[in-house]
Structures are given as C-alpha cells and as structure tokens.
Amino acid sequence: MTTALSTTPGGLTTGRSTMTTTPTTARLGKITVRHFDFYYGEAKVLHGIDLDIPERQVTALIGPSGCGKSTFVRSINRMNDIIPEARGEGVIEIDGKNIYAGGTDVVELRRRVGMVFQKSNPFPKSIYDNVAYGLKIGGTRNKRALNDAVEKSLQRAALWEEVKDRLQESALALSGGQQQRLCIARALAVDPEILLMDEPASALDPIATTKIEELIWELKENYTIVIVTHNMQQAARVSDLTAFFMLGKVIEFGDTKKIFMNPREKMTEDYVTGRFG
Amino acid sequence: MGMFSNRRRSSDDGSFRVVTGAFAALVLLAVAGIGFELSRQSMLSIRRFGMSFWTGTTWDPVSGVFGALPFIWGTLYSSILALLIATPIALGIAIFISELSPRFLRQPLSYLTELLAAIPSIVYGLWGIFVLVPIVRKLELSAPDAIRKLALFKGPPLGVGMGTAALILAVMVIPFTSSVAREILKNVPTAQREAAYALGATRWEAIKVAIGYGKSGIIGSIMLGFGRALGETMAVTMVIGNNPQVTASLFAPQYTMAAVIANEFTEAADDLYLNALVEIGLVLFIITIAINALSRLLIWSMEKRSSRPMAIVPLLEEQPAQ
Ligand SMILES: Nc1ncnc2c1ncn2[C@@H]1O[C@H](COP(=O)(O)OP(=O)(O)OP(=O)(O)O)[C@@H](O)[C@H]1O
Ligand SMILES: [Mg+2]
C-alpha cells in the first residue's frame, strides 16, 4: 500500500509526488494537514493524513463508505470534539495556525469554518430566525444588520427569490432542497472563510442537486470549500482538486481532471472507473 | 403473489385498526362513564345548589349548606405553587442529566429521580409531618412581624398550611416532570445540536437549541406534573391543615378537593352531604380534564406554528430598506 502523499495542488510545482513524512509548518494552502490521525476510542480510523487544501477552490473528498471522509471533514471544524472518546492527533493548520493546539477557541474556529450536513437540519424556527441564528448568538443585535445579513446570505444561497415573501414562515415548511440551501445560507450568514460540506446533495433530487452544484461553483469565489461526495460525476463537475480516501488514508490527491482521467495509483483508477461502470 | 401479500397486509391493517380503535373507544367510554356516574351520584346537590356550588364559600354539613370554592381554590393554588417551585428544579435536573453530567452518572441519576416517583404518597406525607412541618413552623416563628403582616404570610404559625403543602407537592412532582423532560431532551436529534455548534454555539447555546426543539414536549412534561399535583391526596391532606378558606396566605391552613373527599367520605351521614362530596369529585374531574385539554391545545398550537406554514406575516419593520 502506498504511503500517504502530500501534494501541492493545481500543477504549481513539478514535484507532485513529494513524500512528506514529517510534520512541517510550511504553508502550502489555506488548510494544511500534517500527519493527522484520528481515533474513536481504540479504533484508529484516520492514518497520517497529509493534505494541502488551497484557498478559494473546491476540494472534493471521495472514497468508499467508511473510509473516514466524514471523520476528516468534521476534524477541520473540530465537530468531533462533541463525540465522547474521540480524539485527533497531529496537525491541522488554518492560515498557519494549528487548530488542535491548546488554547484554541473552538467557538471562534467554528465561526470561521462553516459546515453543511448530509441531511438538512434547520431549526424549528422561522426562515429568518434560522439564518439569523449564528449572528444572534455571535452578539449581533442590530435589526438592520441582521436583516441585511439574512438577505445577503439567502441570495448567496440562491434561495432569496423563493422565500423573500415568507421569511417568518417555519423553515420546516420548505422542500428538502430548499431546506438544504437554507442550511447553506445559515452557514454563510456568519461569514466563514471555509465551508465544509458532507454529502450536501445526497438526499436531494437531480434538480435540487444541480442547484446546489451551481451554488458551490459560485461560492468558491469567496470561500474555500471542502466537499465530501459519493457521486463521481459530482466530484468531477464541481471540484478543482480531489482527494481519494481509502481505509483512513489519502491514496491520491491532485487535480480533479488528473484524478479522473489519468490517476497515478491503480486503486484510484479502479475506484473512479468502477463507479462509472 | 404481490397481490396476495398486499391483500394480507391490508386486512392486517384493517383488524389492527379495529382492535386499537376499540381500545381507544373503551377509554373514551370509561371517561364518559365516570362523568356520568359522578353526575348521577351528586344529583341531589346539583339540583339544590346549581352553579352556586362552584362559588359558595360555606361548607357546613350540619346545616346542610355546601359550597366548594375553598376546595377548588386550595387545589388550584397548591398545584400552581407546586408547579412554580417544581418546574425550574425539574428542568434543571433534566438538563443536568441529559446534557451536562458525566456519562457514567447519567443512568444512576435517572434511576434515582425515577425512584422518587415510586415512593407512596403517604410516605411523603409522613416525611412532611415529621420533617417539613417543624422546619416551616420554625421559619414562621422566626419571620419578622413586618413580613407576617403581608397578606401572603398571615396566619397562625402552625407549620401546617398552604406553603408546606405546596412544598411537598413540588417534591412529588419533580421526578415526573424531570424524567419526561429528560427523555424529550434525549430524543432531540444530534443534528440539531451539531447545527448549533457548527455556527459557533457554546455548550449552553446548543442546549438552548435542544430545549427549543423539544419545547412542546417539555411543556407537556410540566402539564403532566400539574395534573399529578391536582389529584394528589394523601400527602397534602396530612400537611395542609384541612381548613376550608379562600386566602392567599401561605401560612394559613387550607383544604383541597381531593383531601376533603378522602377525609369526610366515610362520615357523610345524610344523602345531601354524600352527594355534595361526590359533586366535589365531579368538579375535580371537570377541572382536570379542562386543564389537560387546554395544555393539549397549547402544545398543538405550538407544534402547528413550528412545523406548518403559517399565514403569511409580512416582515414590516424587519424588511430591510431597499
Ligand atoms: N461516532 C463514531 N464512533 C465510533 N466509530 C465511528 C463513529 N463515526 C464513524 N466511525 C467509524 O469511523 C470510520 C470512518 O467513518 P466515517 O463516517 O468517517 O466514514 P465515511 O467515509 O464518511 O463513510 P460514508 O461514506 O459512509 O459516509 C468507520 O469505520 C466508522 O464506523
Ligand atoms: Mg460520511
């Protein structure tokens, strides 16, 4: 089995297959992962992950079920902290700062790193209150500021036109696809730099999925996006870079085109083509 | 093949519906039957006093005058006081167990609170008489005159009275409310808490989201406690002082509907007296049902508000200036 490789993305360098076996603080991207291991109790599910996720690009994580994609994205905003007995070891840096260092303000971190879940999870509140929630708990009280942020976020999430006349209605009255875009708007409202998306479209029909994909494409102008997907076409359509995970390791990471057309590893090729049939 | 399995399934459904429907009807029938029987057995008193039974303040078996207001007042007042004391504590316990306590403590703490619910009420009554009453009496005796003059604290320093009854009721209600509320919080989907955390919520803010999600269930748990307090008999009888009067004073001995029935039923010699006591039962029955219906309505309207589209409310003052 291949050792985990760290690669600079996007064909910037020639040495694409540089082996990185020791933690380094050299900044190669917005998110720098070095030798990251993760455990649920005794079970080790991530093994020495090394990745450099670039700013304002879409990075897709693909791989068979149970290979640790969710665990990995949930490590980037330390969402796994709320699972008892779970712990990460190693380094994940955002803008050069290790988020696993002692004294990290996790609340602050999560405001910078937004997250959208597989199943839409709106609060049983109005559409307006859902989007405004993050700002309100962040201390924004000014009505005007809240209104502006709600409108802007809903527009960015391509939902404004559909809901602008019923902002006080329950969010649970929206369709599945609308709910998922609402959750995206809710995440955008706190103005994060990074957006983590764990299979954001897997519960949606093709039309709603297309909407989300278009949205991702637009959002990458302003956000660094990491998206987990089981859908190969989707990864190929929306992402700039793709990381192929297997059994808790990164097998291959690089340009999405290259991963799909001309992967370096046999395993990657098998997985990618297997899915295409 | 498909047709057969379909048919079998639908006929199963049918009989299942009949059986469960029959049980539901049985419950309704029992409720109606109780109401009917209570009315029938209290006809004498209903005919004699009419609505003034609800508003009369005299309870005089010797001269045959019966008014239930002091008992209605005592039941409602003691239950509401108990609710005010018990609710914050019970919710605090529920939140602590489900959200804050270390894992290994959760089970034992849950069992412990549920154990409190299993203690017979006469034991609470004895505890009230031997422990609570002396404490309350000491408090009453040491209360400064200025306070004793207030309407809330007038009355002889007996130790028994409304305040003591409310305290004991609160203790008895807490396990019910807290275990139901705990169960509600436990069933709030992790996704709700994660959504809050992902937006930068602190632990307390995430707990508030969970409480908001379970709001209607938690109100249900409070109402369950209320219902329990309304009907509680033994422990209250032992500490409330059994003196029918309508007063706000916590120190004054008062009486409740359940207590007067329990105390006087065996000694009710003449028919009118007996009928009046049964009518008190009828009043208690009606009030309990009314309060349950009201709380159902409250929960129902809340659920409707949060899960279904409401009439479109324009965001007048909240509409951003364009
Ligand atoms: N809360 C948990 N406790 C214990 N083990 C867990 C937990 N969550 C995940 N795991 C285990 O960790 C491994 C990785 O799971 P993870 O959910 O990260 O995989 P995944 O790649 O996202 O899979 P999928 O594509 O099915 O979503 C799996 O073996 C899984 O069983
Ligand atoms: Mg997953």
Side-chain angles (χ1 to χ4, degrees), chain B residues 20-87:
Chain B
T20 51
F23 283 129
L26 215 65
V27 172
L28 267 179
L29 215 70
V31 171
I34 291 170
F36 175 77
E37 197 55 27
L38 285 172
S39 316
R40 205 173 63 87
Q41 303 269 6
S42 54
M43 245 340 148
L44 268 184
S45 146
I46 292 176
R47 291 234 173 82
R48 173 78 61 89
F49 303 108
M51 276 321 285
S52 73
F53 186 80
W54 289 70
T55 52
T57 52
T58 313
W59 184 263
D60 186 353
V62 180
S63 46
V65 181
F66 297 102
L69 189 64
F71 308 105
I72 298 175
W73 163 260
T75 294
L76 289 178
Y77 192 35
S78 61
S79 300
I80 289 171
L81 286 174
L83 207 65
L84 290 178
I85 303 167
T87 301

Side-chain angles (χ1 to χ4, degrees), chain A residues 66 69-71 118 198-199 228 230:
Chain A
K69 306 177 295 291
S70 296
T71 302
Q118 172 172 6
D198 193 352
E199 304 187 46
V228 175
H230 271 286

Side-chain angles (χ1 to χ4, degrees), chain A residues 74 77 79 82 84 107 110-111 113-115 117 121-125 128 133-134 137 143-144 147-148 151 160 164-170 172-173 186-187 190, chain B residues 103 190-203 205-206 209 212-213 215 304-315 317-322:
Chain A
R74 290 166 56 92
N77 65 348
M79 191 54 82
I82 67 175
V107 166
R110 293 190 186 130
R111 299 180 74 81
V113 186
M115 183 162 221
F117 299 82
N121 52 357
F123 302 125
K125 304 176 185 229
Y128 183 96
Y133 177 81
I137 60 170
K143 263 257 157 70
R144 173 127 312 153
N147 288 340
D148 289 349
E151 178 174 353
W160 175 249
K164 66 179 177 198
D165 296 324
R166 46 173 182 153
L167 295 177
Q168 292 305 317
E169 270 183 39
S170 170
L172 304 182
R186 182 174 67 181
V190 293
Chain B
R103 299 208 126 220
T190 319
Q192 287 285 316
R193 293 191 179 84
E194 287 188 341
Y197 280 124
L199 293 162
T202 60
R203 192 162 189 190
E205 284 157 351
V209 164
Y213 188 90
K215 199 166 43 183
K304 202 173 139 188
R305 216 175 312 146
S306 65
S307 67
R308 288 199 210 136
M310 293 187 300
I312 293 169
V313 183
L315 234 189
E317 84 280 31
E318 290 188 347
Q319 204 69 254
Q322 310 274 339

Side-chain angles (χ1 to χ4, degrees), chain A residues 38-41 43-46 62-74 80 83-84 86 118 198-199 228-230 245 248 271:
Chain A
F38 198 90
Y39 301 81
Y40 290 110
K44 187 172 181 181
V45 299
L46 291 180
I62 61 170
S65 188
C67 67
K69 306 177 295 291
S70 296
T71 302
F72 178 66
V73 280
R74 290 166 56 92
N80 286 325
I83 298 173
Q118 172 172 6
D198 193 352
E199 304 187 46
V228 175
T229 177
H230 271 286
F245 277 66
Y271 182 73

